[in-house]
Amino acid sequence: MNENLSLGRIAGIHVGLNWSLLVVAALIAWSLATSILPSASPGQTSTAYWAAGVISAFVFLASLLAHELAHSIVAMRRGVRVDGITLWLFGGVSRFSSDSNSPGTQALFTFVGPLTSLVLGALFYLVSLGIGGGAHPGLAAATLSWLGYINITLGVFNLVPAFPLDGGRLLQSLIWLRTGDRLRATRIAARIGMGFAYLLIAYGLATYLFAGSIIGGIWSVFLGWFLLSAARSEEAGGMIREALSGISVREVMTPNPVQAPDNITVDDALRSYVLTSRHSTFPTHDSTGRLSGLLTLAALKKVAPEARATTLVKDVTCPVDSVSTATSAEPVANLLGVSDGCGEGRTLVIDGGALVGIISPSDISRLVQRSVPARPR
């Protein structure tokens, strides 16, 4: 899921959001202000309901972020590399650039997400009771009660044993533990996820046709379609990873890529590097020879022609800490999840602090095309 707005870093993890999340926030605020809160706590002003609705929407989004941060922080502590978190229409996605090496590790960082939602839900609900919740709650108590309900619902729904939900990953971890075969575990969990998705689509259609619930029916069908697509993607991804098993980054990378100094102008970079090479990206180094970033053709094109003679390369390069990196001995399958970002999906290969190669998305694509048909599924 593409990121439209960066929220910075939390606990060292990059966090961004997709515009679709703003639609969800608006719908939540509207539903609370016009229906849910007036029914739960009547007699308040419209302004009060809208204020509570807007605040609740943002608190819920913060709860989603807490859910994903729990996944990512525990994964990092277990040695899994985390690219970042993107919040969007269906919640959040933690992006991992390396796989867990054991079913126990995967189960642990998967389970803490729903656990965080359940704990938050219980806390919100207990606080609502403490400030006067019950049969006739005040507005604050009703708002906290809803936050408790929605977080508990999120936690329970995520534990459904169907890919790509957390419960599906827990099921995959269990099958992986029992069989020792990660690919088989992925296939079984993915197919169970597909079955659940078909049931959700059928439920949505039945809700629309027999109960007349247009919004609820369409939402269920849409959610089922998303889960179906994601489960199929997980199964395909598992097959690709299996096909690439045993292949290292060293076997795929372009060795000893041409580096450009970052203290030259954009005009010099175009004449001396871009126009004289078949490559469109160049690692850059500073005046001491230290790797400083990645210069892309897209970044050069953004510089106005009249500014190219005065703009330095270091002002437009993608910083090295924003570019994916790997060692030459790593499994190349670890690079399948590399996000585009300012590095345009490139990975810099570094051994002992020195740049030894570079891998582009097209390198990975060609490898997949060669490897998948040649290996048994």
Side-chain angles (χ1 to χ4, degrees):
M1 177 49 58
N2 293 329
E3 170 187 310
N4 299 120
L5 176 64
S6 174
L7 301 181
R9 290 184 176 271
I10 301 176
I13 300 167
H14 177 77
V15 179
L17 61 83
N18 180 268
W19 66 268
S20 59
L21 189 71
L22 301 178
V23 176
V24 172
L27 287 174
I28 289 174
W30 174 77
S31 297
L32 287 169
T34 61
S35 177
I36 297 172
L37 293 179
S39 297
S41 179
Q44 309 294 327
T45 65
S46 177
T47 301
Y49 288 133
W50 272 103
V54 171
I55 292 172
S56 296
F58 281 100
V59 172
F60 175 62
L61 298 186
S63 300
L64 288 178
L65 178 58
H67 178 117
E68 294 302 325
L69 281 171
H71 285 312
S72 296
I73 290 172
V74 174
M76 286 176 61
R77 290 179 177 175
R78 291 286 172 162
V80 178
R81 287 208 304 264
V82 179
D83 280 343
I85 294 170
T86 301
L87 301 176
W88 72 300
L89 178 64
F90 288 122
V93 176
S94 294
R95 304 188 306 279
F96 304 117
S97 57
S98 65
D99 285 329
S100 56
N101 55 12
S102 73
T105 295
Q106 178 172 283
L108 178 61
F109 71 70
T110 297
F111 180 66
V112 293
L115 178 62
T116 299
S117 295
L118 293 172
V119 169
L120 285 174
L123 288 174
F124 281 128
Y125 187 67
L126 289 174
V127 173
S128 76
L129 292 177
I131 64 171
H136 303 288
L139 183 57
T143 301
L144 288 168
S145 179
W146 179 84
L147 285 168
Y149 161 79
I150 199 67
N151 272 283
I152 290 173
T153 301
L154 175 67
V156 171
F157 181 73
N158 265 280
L159 288 173
V160 172
F163 254 177
L165 301 175
D166 293 330
R169 299 194 184 280
L170 289 172
L171 176 63
Q172 180 205 25
S173 300
L174 178 61
I175 300 171
W176 180 12
L177 178 65
R178 291 179 65 87
T179 65
D181 188 335
R182 183 171 189 163
L183 177 60
R184 182 184 175 193
T186 300
R187 283 175 173 168
I188 294 172
R191 288 170 185 175
I192 292 174
M194 292 178 203
F196 177 74
Y198 282 123
L199 287 175
L200 195 57
I201 292 171
Y203 170 77
L205 292 173
T207 300
Y208 170 67
L209 294 174
F210 301 113
S213 177
I214 298 177
I215 295 178
I218 291 176
W219 179 254
S220 295
V221 169
F222 190 40
L223 180 57
W225 169 81
F226 163 72
L227 293 177
L228 180 62
S229 299
R232 286 174 172 167
S233 178
E234 288 284 352
E235 184 178 32
M239 294 170 63
I240 291 173
R241 288 178 183 278
E242 177 68 11
L244 299 185
S245 63
I247 301 177
S248 69
V249 166
R250 183 183 296 107
E251 298 174 67
V252 185
M253 70 182 190
T254 299
N256 304 316
V258 175
Q259 296 187 56
D262 65 8
N263 59 354
I264 63 174
T265 66
V266 167
D267 210 13
D268 290 336
L270 287 169
R271 289 200 313 269
S272 302
Y273 291 90
V274 176
L275 297 179
T276 61
S277 170
R278 63 186 179 86
H279 301 296
S280 61
T281 59
F282 300 88
T284 60
H285 62 80
D286 60 20
S287 57
T288 67
R290 186 180 62 178
L291 183 67
S292 61
L294 186 67
L295 179 65
T296 67
L297 186 59
L300 292 171
K301 287 180 177 178
K302 290 180 181 178
V303 181
E306 62 272 16
R308 291 172 181 170
T310 56
T311 303
L312 296 179
V313 162
K314 62 183 175 182
D315 295 326
V316 298
T317 55
C318 181
V320 68
D321 60 359
S322 298
V323 183
S324 169
T325 60
T327 64
S328 63
E330 282 187 44
V332 74
N334 285 356
L335 306 185
L336 290 174
V338 172
S339 57
D340 289 344
C342 62
E344 298 183 350
R346 265 75 174 178
T347 296
L348 298 177
V349 186
I350 301 174
D351 283 343
L355 178 71
V356 297
I358 188 171
I359 294 180
S360 70
S362 58
D363 295 330
I364 300 294
S365 178
R366 284 193 295 269
L367 177 64
V368 169
Q369 290 173 3
R370 292 198 309 267
S371 301
V372 172
R375 299 195 178 195
R377 298 188 179 187

